[in-house]
Amino acid sequence: MAFKLPKRQTSGSVVCFSCQKLVSIEQKECLQCGQANPSLWGFARPISRLGANFGFIKIVIIGCTLLYLITLLFDLPGVQSAGVMNLLMPSSYSLLIFGSTGSVPIFEWGRWWTVLSSGWLHGGLWHLGFNMAWLNYLSPMVAKGYGAGRLVSIYTFTTITSSVLTSFVAQYWTSLPASFSGSNFSVGASGGVFGLLGALVIYGQRANQRQVLQQALTLTIVSFVLSAFVGRVDNWGHLGGFMGGYLIGLMPGFNPNQPQRLYHLGIAAGALAVTFVSIILSPIHALLIG
């Protein structure tokens, strides 16, 4: 089947991507929210068919799954399965090659870009499944409150804050007990997932959405309590993600009471591009240094 480009709409009405109000395709500015080019050059309707998140959830799920399979195949002899909950774990060597983060990769090897690439790698089949299930559950709520563009930025930003905090703690707070230490090596999308929870908490507060606030707080508390009793969990990474999600909701341009703007979509596109570069940079760097 041949790939077909989305057909540009040239007449009729369309829903403004910013405020979700109906506007004429000819309008250069939305009469409701003042957004310039509310029809996205006539492509707002085909883009909206991707869903409220503009296909971001699919991008993350497909990307993480492909990278998980690649890390398995890259070092098949190193694949381990230590019980049901640790099924089909890629080798540490394979994860390092493809961009795991932590105090060692960042501070000792200078692989600073892994603060992003690590969020797309996973240490086992259940690890991948749990994170993708949470992402699929939380993302629509964040997209509804902030818009698709800001969803991408929140996820990207909190992936970074998660990686930075756990790496910093492992590097500089070495006196902490082992159960409270940061990570020398870390992978997983859970930092971004906790970032979405943080963003939902601040959304519930600022937009006076008490049901959202209560649900987000309950999920956050339960998740942190459960994480405290589960081994191989990066609790500092989770905290870094949650804090990042809460803080970004306080930043100018991320007020959930204000509709998303065209520049939010531009920032989101840039965030995805930088993420892609970070993912391919790790194996290239490993190849160059031998």
Side-chain angles (χ1 to χ4, degrees), residues 23-275:
V23 297
S24 170
I25 196 71
E26 289 85 11
Q27 286 182 215
K28 297 186 181 300
E29 183 177 293
C30 178
L31 300 178
Q32 302 293 328
C33 68
Q35 172 62 53
N37 194 19
S39 69
L40 293 178
W41 299 277
F43 292 105
R45 182 171 292 177
I47 291 176
S48 67
R49 294 195 186 106
L50 296 173
N53 59 84
F54 289 4
F56 177 65
I57 297 176
K58 290 182 179 179
I59 292 174
V60 178
I61 291 177
I62 293 174
C64 288
T65 302
L66 285 175
L67 281 169
Y68 172 68
L69 294 175
I70 290 172
T71 54
L72 285 176
L73 296 173
F74 183 78
D75 184 19
L76 277 175
V79 176
Q80 301 179 28
S81 292
V84 177
M85 297 305 295
N86 294 307
L87 188 65
L88 294 176
M89 298 186 298
S91 68
S92 298
Y93 171 71
S94 183
L95 293 174
L96 282 173
I97 292 295
F98 285 93
S100 63
T101 196
S103 61
V104 174
I106 293 177
F107 295 107
E108 296 186 22
W109 300 341
R111 289 163 64 90
W112 48 268
W113 59 87
T114 60
V115 296
L116 262 180
S117 60
S118 60
W120 294 66
L121 301 173
H122 288 85
L125 185 60
W126 282 106
H127 189 206
L128 172 68
F130 279 130
N131 281 341
M132 295 303 99
W134 274 110
L135 175 71
N136 192 55
Y137 178 71
L138 295 173
S139 291
M141 290 189 284
V142 176
K144 183 178 180 180
Y146 290 90
R150 289 186 286 194
L151 164 65
V152 177
S153 298
I154 290 168
Y155 184 81
T156 303
F157 177 74
T158 57
T159 296
I160 295 173
T161 59
S162 168
S163 300
V164 169
L165 182 60
T166 192
S167 302
F168 183 88
V169 170
Q171 181 71 13
Y172 296 106
W173 290 5
T174 55
S175 60
L176 291 174
S179 57
F180 293 97
S181 62
S183 293
N184 294 320
F185 301 97
S186 180
V187 296
S190 55
V193 169
F194 272 81
L196 299 185
L197 282 171
L200 285 173
V201 169
I202 189 65
Y203 166 69
Q205 292 175 334
R206 300 192 73 178
N208 197 27
Q209 296 288 331
R210 294 186 178 182
Q211 184 176 357
V212 174
L213 175 60
Q214 183 178 8
Q215 184 178 9
L217 283 174
T218 300
L219 290 173
T220 300
I221 293 171
V222 170
S223 298
F224 273 116
V225 170
L226 290 177
S227 297
F229 295 97
V230 177
R232 297 171 58 87
V233 172
D234 188 355
N235 291 299
W236 282 106
H238 292 173
L239 179 61
F242 180 83
M243 291 171 60
Y246 190 88
L247 290 174
I248 198 173
L250 297 172
M251 295 180 182
F254 282 85
N255 186 341
N257 293 314
Q258 299 173 352
Q260 70 172 344
R261 297 299 185 182
L262 189 59
Y263 74 85
H264 289 121
L265 300 184
I267 294 173
L272 287 175
V274 171
T275 299

